[in-house]
């Protein structure tokens, strides 16, 4: 059974710092991996999607990497801003299983960027 | 392009009651997935609908049921509500199952 773990559970940094959020998964037979952002009490916003054949994806100040063989992904945020404060979730789709729509999520990292 | 919408935004029910949550998918999307997110947890997959048929189900009891309509909007029905059903219910739509899923704002359900 796939398990997705995110470390740390919470992170507080001063504005302007570069930071890394970690995601690990136990089964490497993934189809793709997505990073999401969730503001308090709100829905999820997709940030980056990495196909299993890719190593990284970039969007603005965000860069996500994927090492499928070691079961790890990182989300790098450059020059953090107070507006980046939110919970960041990673999720994987598996290659197998009857349901193609089954995103398996970690519990998230709650990020706070202090002005 | 209209995003995913959900109604209602908040709901309070008592144990044993039944509830229906609604979701309108993003234009051009034929797949809708439902997730339950308890406080402090990641979302858990409930089920997915593709072209009006259930296309997979997570580890949820049969009292969680759903529908998808010809316009690809969807309903989640929960019977015999329990206290542990209190959560944020998220709907997501996509063009196909494993493509990027676009989430709605969620419905916050409180069961007393």
């Amino acid at each position: 059974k796939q398990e997705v773990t995110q470390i740390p559970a919470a992170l507080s940094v001063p504005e302007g710092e570069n930071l890394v959020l970690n995601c690990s998964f136990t089964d490497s037979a993934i189809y793709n991996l997505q990073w999401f952002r969730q503001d308090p009490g709100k829905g999820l916003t997709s940030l980056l999607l990495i196909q299993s054949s890719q190593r990284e994806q970039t969007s603005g100040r965000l860069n996500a990497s994927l090492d499928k063989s070691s079961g790890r992904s990182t989300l790098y945020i450059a020059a953090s801003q107070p507006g980046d404060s939110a919970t960041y979730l990673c999720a994987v789709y598996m290659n197998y299983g009857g349901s193609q729509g089954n995103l398996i999520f970690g519990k998230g990292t709650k990020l706070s960027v202090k002005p | 392009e209209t995003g995913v919408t959900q109604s209602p935004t908040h709901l309070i029910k008592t144990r044993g009651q039944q509830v229906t949550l609604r979701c309108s998918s993003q234009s051009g999307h034929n797949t809708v997935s439902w997730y339950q997110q308890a406080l402090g947890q990641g979302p858990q997959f409930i089920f997915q609908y593709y072209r009006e048929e259930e296309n997979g189900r997570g580890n949820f009891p049969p009292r969680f049921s759903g529908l998808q309509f010809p316009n690809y909007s969807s309903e989640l029905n929960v019977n015999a509500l329990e206290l542990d059903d209190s959560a944020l219910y998220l709907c997501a739509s996509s063009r196909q199952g494993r493509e990027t899923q676009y989430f709605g704002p969620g419905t916050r359900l409180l069961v007393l």
Side-chain angles (χ1 to χ4, degrees):
Chain A
K1 179 188 170 187
Q2 176 71 278
E3 290 186 7
V4 179
T5 303
Q6 293 187 246
I7 295 173
L11 183 63
S12 181
V13 300
E15 182 177 3
E17 267 203 13
N18 302 324
L19 57 100
V20 174
L21 307 181
N22 296 294
C23 172
S24 62
F25 45 94
T26 55
D27 188 338
S28 62
I30 65 169
Y31 184 80
N32 62 40
L33 182 146
Q34 278 188 258
W35 282 93
F36 292 90
R37 169 189 171 132
Q38 186 174 32
D39 292 291
K42 305 291 186 182
L44 279 62
T45 301
S46 180
L47 298 173
L48 291 164
L49 183 150
I50 311 176
Q51 300 293 351
S52 62
S53 58
Q54 296 176 317
R55 298 285 289 186
E56 64 179 309
Q57 281 285 346
T58 298
S59 176
R61 294 183 295 108
L62 305 179
N63 175 277
S65 68
L66 173 65
D67 184 342
K68 200 172 73 162
S69 61
S70 68
R72 287 188 292 190
S73 176
T74 60
L75 179 66
Y76 175 83
I77 303 177
S80 58
Q81 303 171 357
D84 294 331
S85 298
T87 296
Y88 291 80
L89 294 148
C90 76
V92 298
Y93 278 130
M94 302 308 297
N95 267 328
Y96 55 81
S99 167
Q100 294 191 11
N102 186 6
L103 266 175
I104 302 171
F105 284 85
K107 292 184 179 181
T109 293
K110 186 174 182 179
L111 173 65
S112 176
V113 182
K114 306 291 187 186
Chain B
E1 186 177 76
T2 306
V4 179
T5 60
Q6 293 185 243
S7 63
T9 56
H10 294 82
L11 205 51
I12 300 175
K13 292 285 188 178
T14 56
R15 197 169 48 181
Q17 284 189 311
Q18 177 266 343
V19 68
T20 297
L21 311 182
R22 295 178 175 83
C23 171
S24 291
S25 59
Q26 190 163 313
S27 176
H29 290 183
N30 56 22
T31 302
V32 173
S33 302
W34 286 91
Y35 295 83
Q36 180 195 66
Q37 186 178 25
L39 205 58
Q41 303 294 313
Q44 298 290 315
F45 175 71
I46 303 175
F47 44 57
Q48 181 187 76
Y49 279 84
Y50 171 68
R51 293 187 175 180
E52 304 178 58
E53 297 286 332
E54 187 177 291
N55 187 42
R57 188 179 183 91
N59 190 26
F60 280 81
R63 61 188 183 84
F64 285 78
S65 63
L67 282 173
Q68 187 179 31
F69 300 100
N71 66 356
Y72 303 130
S73 65
S74 177
E75 285 183 356
L76 164 65
N77 299 290
V78 188
N79 294 322
L81 283 166
E82 301 177 359
L83 297 180
D84 284 349
D85 295 334
S86 296
L88 181 67
Y89 288 84
L90 296 164
C91 163
S93 75
S94 59
R95 287 192 175 86
Q96 292 182 28
R98 290 184 183 145
E99 290 192 5
T100 299
Q101 292 195 355
Y102 296 87
F103 282 77
T107 293
R108 174 75 64 187
L109 173 65
L110 178 61
V111 182
L112 300 176

